[in-house]
Amino acid sequence: MAMNHELLEICEYNGCGYQPLVDFGTWRVAVLNYSADLQPERLTRMQRHNETDEVFVLLSGRCILFVGEGRDAVSQIHAEDLQPGLVYNVRQAVWHTHTLSPDAKVLVVENRETTYDNSPFTPLTKGQQHCLVALTRRLWDGG
């Protein structure tokens, strides 16, 4: 007997990049998968969400979450190599971006009202871009 979808909604996403799967009330659940534009060599900016926190949970593969200090621009970058099953909460108005391995799948939980209108980007300097590449190599390659 098939599941009654009025009782249980089952969602999946296996494409590239970010895809919202469930919107309800004030929250959204999405999946973020590997996308070539998230390779560390291609990261040129960070984003922040001015009105909400954002939660990341690594389901498979590898993901480095980069967070930046600074109010109007990024002054210092930190890297966290996500561990499967742990909940990582990026606080409201904290600059962030990420890189994923080709087999990565990340669960994202955020406010449904999170849009480009309340989530500005800031460009990274060439030095900061090189820093992201170096941090990735150190965490993933040991070099």
Side-chain angles (χ1 to χ4, degrees):
M1 176 180 232
M3 174 57 68
N4 179 341
H5 292 288
E6 291 181 18
L7 300 175
L8 178 66
E9 180 180 9
I10 301 170
C11 304
E12 146 178 81
Y13 177 66
N14 294 310
C16 291
Y18 172 87
Q19 179 65 46
L21 296 177
V22 177
D23 281 333
F24 182 81
T26 61
W27 55 272
R28 169 183 299 135
V29 177
V31 167
L32 175 66
N33 294 328
Y34 171 82
S35 176
D37 62 325
L38 295 177
Q39 293 175 340
E41 298 81 8
R42 294 186 175 180
L43 298 174
T44 61
R45 63 187 185 169
M46 285 187 153
Q47 182 181 37
R48 69 179 181 197
H49 305 299
N50 288 333
E51 298 179 8
T52 185
D53 290 4
E54 184 174 30
V55 171
F56 296 88
V57 179
L58 179 64
L59 301 175
S60 62
R62 297 196 70 184
C63 176
I64 297 174
L65 184 60
F66 301 103
V67 294
E69 292 183 36
R71 181 185 164 120
D72 297 322
V74 175
S75 60
Q76 185 172 356
I77 296 173
H78 305 275
E80 185 69 28
D81 193 7
L82 303 188
Q83 300 304 305
L86 295 181
V87 175
Y88 297 86
N89 185 37
V90 176
R91 303 286 187 181
Q92 177 181 0
V94 170
W95 297 110
H96 63 283
T97 192
H98 33 264
T99 190
L100 289 81
S101 64
D103 59 341
K105 184 176 285 291
V106 178
L107 183 74
V108 180
V109 180
E110 62 190 350
N111 186 299
R112 188 174 179 199
E113 302 302 319
T114 302
T115 66
Y116 288 124
D117 292 335
N118 56 33
S119 300
F121 290 91
T122 189
L124 296 171
T125 66
K126 289 291 183 192
Q128 290 170 327
Q129 292 173 30
H130 291 301
C131 177
L132 295 183
V133 172
L135 287 168
T136 301
R137 286 189 182 138
R138 186 169 65 220
L139 288 170
W140 285 358
D141 301 333

